[in-house]
Amino acid sequence: MIFISPDHPYYSLLAELVSAVGKSWQQRYDHGRRGSPDTNPYSWAGPEG
């Protein structure tokens, strides 16, 4: 485990990244709970479509 203290130069960048991942996961979770179709433009589709 790596510990980065608040006085580290990259602390704010890491904090923003962790926050963005959490928000992204929550949006996707809420999208699925509403029964919305899977229209994620970032999902991978194979050659068959």
Side-chain angles (χ1 to χ4, degrees):
M1 180 175 202
I2 298 173
F3 177 74
I4 297 178
S5 64
D7 60 344
H8 191 277
Y10 292 125
Y11 183 82
S12 61
L13 179 65
L14 181 61
E16 289 177 28
L17 176 64
V18 169
S19 176
V21 168
K23 288 176 186 175
S24 175
W25 184 91
Q26 189 65 49
Q27 286 178 350
R28 181 68 180 140
Y29 178 78
D30 292 342
H31 181 77
R33 281 191 68 200
R34 288 191 298 268
S36 302
D38 187 15
T39 56
N40 182 0
Y42 302 108
S43 64
W44 184 79
E48 65 279 351

